[in-house]
Amino acid sequence: MAAARDLRAMEMAGDDDAVELAKRHLVQPWPYAGSVGNEARALIGEGDGIYITDVTGKRLIDGPAGMWCINVGHRREELARVMYDQAMMLSYNTPWYTMNAPSAELAKRIADHAPGDLSHTFFTTGGSSAVETALRFMQFYNNVRGRPEKKLILSRGGAYHGSTYLSASLNGRPRDRDWMDGADHLVVKLSSPDPFRRPKGMSIADFCDFLVDQFRDTVARVGPEKIGAFVGEPVQASGGVVVPPDGYLKRIREICRDNDILYVSDEVVTGFGRLGHVFASGDVFGIDPDMITFAKGVTSGYFPLGGVIISERLLQEMRRSNHPDAMFGHGLTYTSHPIGCAVALKNLDILEDSVLAHTREVAPYFQAQLKTLEDLPLVGEVRGMGLMGCVECVADRESKDPLQLDKDVGKRIDAHCHELGLLVRPLINMCVMSPPLIITREQIDDMVAILREGISRTMDDLRKEGVWQG
Ligand SMILES: Cc1ncc(COP(=O)(O)O)c(C=O)c1O
């Protein structure tokens, strides 16, 4: 195994070469104009369990599990094996007029885990294409049902739903849209359900009422006959692990039902184990959406796959419509990819066998240990759920002002943690942690100890520079 890796490493470009080649030829995601196409990022050579190793040989805890996706951990022999076997059996078939067994079996197993009457899955290539598919399906559904004006989409501040045109139009995080166009005429924005940023002096219960009233008032003002869907993450992930107030999602679900607005639960991050269940909508939050989108953890990041699970009711309504010949003109070359679906089946076996139960067991410890960081004066709040957490830094705990420290705090902490052996996901003034679900208590201790040291060193730097005196 090690010998095979050495051989492969020798065949590949040398490390310095790779950095040079990347700077000359690679456009990386989310670049700044000033460095686009000319940027070196940390070069990662290997992954194993919860660890990745950069090419200097430094081993790091993979704090964000890739991009919230390496749920069962790196270097799983059985996942590699299943990809090889499936590629040797059938590497691809056109989904336009043929089908394959792994996708049918996976759709059935997903339906078994899904809440309510969600029964059918349309497979995509990732999360953005899953959200895009759900929205195009909503448009098609309303066209077929003779309501072409019912197309607006409700979305919230702090949301992240993807990087395709329509999914990105829903995004509500600071800076995501500053320089980017979007289909703004199709989207109605609502407040982020972030309890930490609720108006000063308001209780969390009152904040929940405020959010629900705002949702209801917006539906009334815009007109339910014009609104096709609400799209929401159960826990806003890239917005900073925003856990909504208790009962909020159920109340929003009811308003959607009352107004015939499709509820799309975006479980691209929360699905496939992050909160200890295959889907969080039903098992954690007690809601039964009309559609659930998923990606990432469905293959633990070993193959690009996503999908949208659709309610039986919607499909039946379409079949009963007066337009049996209307075509859902939507499909991707890699819809129902046999290798992706085969690896997802094996990944689901692993989750069901042990990893879901382990996640539920270890999550309270993870949350409690992260919470201890609140004694550091730079930390305004530590929050989270399951195996996702966020450390939000503030310049001043009273005003919760993140602005003076805006650009660099997350990145500064990440740089120190990298030195110390932990990869952090920096988000402006926040550090998001979502390790592989197989993490042990001892590894959680290591992770939190490094994070504490990284934040402490950052506080020292900020004090020395006179930027912050906390
Ligand atoms: C909640 C959510 N939806 C959608 C997406 C987009 O997924 P992808 O990057 O696979 O297209 C993401 C990505 O992080 C996400 O967090």
Side-chain angles (χ1 to χ4, degrees), residues 67-68 125-129 131 160-163 233 237-238 266-269 293 295-296 425:
M67 284 292 288
W68 326 85
T125 51
S128 306
S129 52
V131 173
Y160 182 72
H161 296 294
S163 278
E233 300 152 85
S238 303
D266 185 353
E267 293 226 38
V268 164
V269 169
T293 50
K296 297 187 188 278
R425 168 126 195 248

Side-chain angles (χ1 to χ4, degrees), residues 252-316:
I252 299 298
R253 201 314 166 225
E254 281 318 304
I255 301 173
C256 288
R257 202 191 307 279
D258 293 346
N259 290 279
D260 201 5
I261 293 168
L262 299 185
Y263 188 118
V264 181
S265 184
D266 185 353
E267 293 226 38
V268 164
V269 169
T270 54
F272 292 89
R274 183 83 14 224
L275 300 187
H277 300 272
V278 174
F279 297 110
S281 298
D283 288 339
V284 179
F285 294 99
I287 56 166
D288 59 335
D290 294 296
M291 292 187 253
I292 289 180
T293 50
F294 63 85
K296 297 187 188 278
V298 63
T299 60
S300 285
Y302 282 68
F303 195 93
L305 185 76
V308 47
I309 327 171
I310 305 172
S311 134
E312 183 68 37
R313 174 181 68 85
L314 301 187
L315 298 170
Q316 284 184 9

Side-chain angles (χ1 to χ4, degrees), residues 194-195 198-211 245:
D194 182 355
R198 69 188 182 276
K200 215 172 170 182
M202 189 184 267
S203 71
I204 293 189
D206 287 348
F207 181 54
C208 186
D209 291 343
F210 159 80
L211 294 168

Side-chain angles (χ1 to χ4, degrees), residues 35-332:
S35 54
V36 63
N38 182 23
E39 198 187 345
R41 298 186 180 179
L43 189 58
I44 305 301
E46 295 189 13
D48 191 4
I50 70 155
Y51 298 100
I52 49 175
T53 306
D54 73 16
V55 292
T56 68
K58 180 174 275 302
R59 195 171 77 141
L60 306 156
I61 297 174
D62 188 355
M67 284 292 288
W68 326 85
C69 57
I70 313 294
N71 287 5
V72 301
H74 295 275
R75 196 177 289 167
R76 281 269 186 177
E77 175 103 34
E78 60 274 58
L79 294 186
R81 193 70 60 202
V82 88
M83 289 197 284
Y84 174 86
D85 290 345
Q86 183 58 49
M88 293 306 285
M89 173 83 82
L90 172 69
S91 56
Y92 177 79
N93 65 290
T94 168
W96 259 240
Y97 43 90
T98 66
M99 56 190 222
N100 61 62
S103 58
E105 193 188 330
L106 181 61
K108 192 263 180 226
R109 286 187 54 193
I110 285 174
D112 289 346
H113 282 285
D117 72 340
L118 298 187
S119 59
H120 286 61
T121 296
F122 183 107
F123 290 108
T124 66
T125 51
S128 306
S129 52
V131 173
E132 200 79 16
T133 299
L135 295 174
R136 297 198 77 207
F137 185 83
M138 173 276 285
Q139 294 172 338
F140 174 68
Y141 168 79
N142 281 320
N143 286 341
V144 170
R145 295 201 57 202
R147 329 187 280 193
E149 72 295 342
K150 195 169 167 63
K151 301 279 175 59
L152 294 177
I153 306 150
L154 297 171
S155 180
R156 301 169 301 173
Y160 182 72
H161 296 294
S163 278
T164 52
Y165 196 65
L166 191 50
S167 68
S169 304
L170 308 187
N171 294 343
R173 300 182 312 170
R175 304 202 296 204
D176 276 2
R177 293 287 312 281
D178 291 354
W179 291 89
M180 301 299 288
D181 294 355
D184 294 331
H185 62 291
L186 290 177
V187 182
V188 180
K189 290 271 168 68
L190 299 158
S191 300
S192 164
D194 182 355
F196 184 61
R197 299 257 162 226
R198 69 188 182 276
K200 215 172 170 182
M202 189 184 267
S203 71
I204 293 189
D206 287 348
F207 181 54
C208 186
D209 291 343
F210 159 80
L211 294 168
V212 172
D213 288 347
Q214 183 195 54
F215 196 99
R216 198 182 290 106
D217 294 348
T218 304
V219 170
R221 176 174 50 80
V222 175
E225 71 287 353
K226 296 210 179 75
I227 304 173
F230 162 67
V231 182
E233 300 152 85
V235 174
Q236 288 190 333
S238 303
V241 189
V242 171
V243 182
D246 275 353
Y248 158 83
L249 289 177
K250 273 192 174 170
R251 292 169 71 186
I252 299 298
R253 201 314 166 225
E254 281 318 304
I255 301 173
C256 288
R257 202 191 307 279
D258 293 346
N259 290 279
D260 201 5
I261 293 168
L262 299 185
Y263 188 118
V264 181
S265 184
D266 185 353
E267 293 226 38
V268 164
V269 169
T270 54
F272 292 89
R274 183 83 14 224
L275 300 187
H277 300 272
V278 174
F279 297 110
S281 298
D283 288 339
V284 179
F285 294 99
I287 56 166
D288 59 335
D290 294 296
M291 292 187 253
I292 289 180
T293 50
F294 63 85
K296 297 187 188 278
V298 63
T299 60
S300 285
Y302 282 68
F303 195 93
L305 185 76
V308 47
I309 327 171
I310 305 172
S311 134
E312 183 68 37
R313 174 181 68 85
L314 301 187
L315 298 170
Q316 284 184 9
E317 280 170 0
M318 297 227 296
R319 286 190 215 119
R320 281 199 301 263
S321 82
N322 296 328
H323 302 287
D325 296 336
M327 179 184 280
F328 182 43
H330 182 85
L332 311 167

